[in-house]
Amino acid sequence: MRVLRRIGLTGGIGSGKSTVATMFAELGLPVLDLDKVGRELLAPGTVALQRVVQVFGDGFVLPDGSLDRRALAAHCFASAQATKELNGIMHPLIWQAEQQWLAGQSGELAIIEASVLLESGGAGRMDAVIVVMAEQPVRLQRVLARGLQDEHAFYAIIKRQCTDEQRREQADFLIDNNDSLQALRDQVDSLYAQLRKDLSK
């Protein structure tokens, strides 16, 4: 009987985990981005958005019916209770979507990418966890270069995420992304070969 190995992929903001996920996809592995799943689940007219409105009020809905993600994120960053309530809505739905996706895979390995995989307890659903690491100044530079968050937002997110020490403790595999793109690709290629080799054990 075929057994699908679920490989969790995570890392702090600006670590480059999405770049690593793309590299694994280029090697032929199916990749599910749970952050993207979460965004899709909150599209206008969805059950998740309805529940968010019930809990947080319609002040977080824009005139076009879409979620004001920036405002909700700011609200949750300022309140641990609000974060807990939002997670209570989203995590079961994301987990359900993950299960449905996994059921449709025909290979032996699948990558589950999530920025809060460790913080949400999702590592327990994985057969192994890959953590992408990078020094904080490097990560900040990358985030600022994207232009999506400022320095204040970066540090606010950092406070909500695991520390590097906690990531190391929970990682089965570590990828260092402080160097060049080629150095990163070499590590991904090597880890892919190791994962394939482990399947034969």
Side-chain angles (χ1 to χ4, degrees):
M1 180 180 177
R2 180 187 69 87
V3 177
L4 177 66
R5 291 197 72 207
R6 296 157 296 180
I7 311 298
L9 173 63
T10 191
I13 180 172
S15 63
K17 68 175 177 55
S18 295
T19 301
V20 170
T22 298
M23 289 178 177
F24 275 120
E26 290 169 350
L27 289 169
L29 292 186
V31 177
L32 177 65
D33 181 349
L34 292 187
D35 296 342
K36 182 180 178 182
V37 169
R39 290 192 295 271
E40 292 172 346
L41 285 170
L42 285 168
T46 59
V47 171
L49 183 56
Q50 291 171 9
R51 292 181 185 173
V52 167
V53 171
Q54 288 171 359
V55 172
F56 297 100
D58 57 11
F60 292 100
V61 178
L62 295 169
D64 64 359
S66 64
L67 178 67
D68 188 341
R69 299 176 188 275
R70 190 178 294 272
L72 183 60
H75 178 66
C76 289
F77 279 134
S79 167
Q81 180 59 32
T83 299
K84 183 178 180 180
E85 291 174 340
L86 181 61
N87 289 343
I89 295 170
M90 297 305 300
H91 287 171
L93 295 173
I94 290 172
W95 180 79
Q96 183 180 39
E98 176 190 304
Q99 291 298 104
Q100 292 173 345
W101 181 82
L102 287 168
Q105 303 308 308
S106 58
E108 295 177 302
L109 289 169
I111 301 290
I112 307 293
E113 177 193 358
S115 58
V116 293
L117 183 72
L118 307 182
E119 294 85 347
S120 67
R125 304 195 305 271
M126 302 298 126
D127 295 298
V129 173
I130 301 168
V131 175
V132 184
M133 303 287 288
E135 297 296 331
Q136 197 168 112
V138 175
R139 292 162 56 193
L140 174 60
Q141 184 179 27
R142 290 172 182 159
V143 169
L144 294 179
R146 293 178 196 157
L148 299 178
Q149 284 107 1
D150 59 17
E151 190 168 343
H152 175 75
F154 172 81
Y155 286 111
I157 292 170
I158 288 283
K159 288 180 180 179
R160 293 285 182 179
Q161 294 187 334
C162 287
T163 64
D164 284 350
E165 184 179 59
Q166 290 170 327
R167 291 188 180 101
R168 289 189 183 96
E169 289 174 353
Q170 298 186 69
D172 295 290
F173 306 101
L174 287 172
I175 290 179
D176 184 302
N177 189 22
N178 287 297
D179 205 341
S180 67
L181 197 61
Q182 186 57 53
L184 181 64
R185 189 176 299 278
D186 290 344
Q187 290 179 78
V188 172
D189 289 347
S190 177
L191 181 49
Y192 173 74
Q194 184 174 347
L195 291 170
R196 298 294 306 176
K197 183 178 180 182
D198 288 348
L199 288 173
S200 62
K201 293 181 179 178

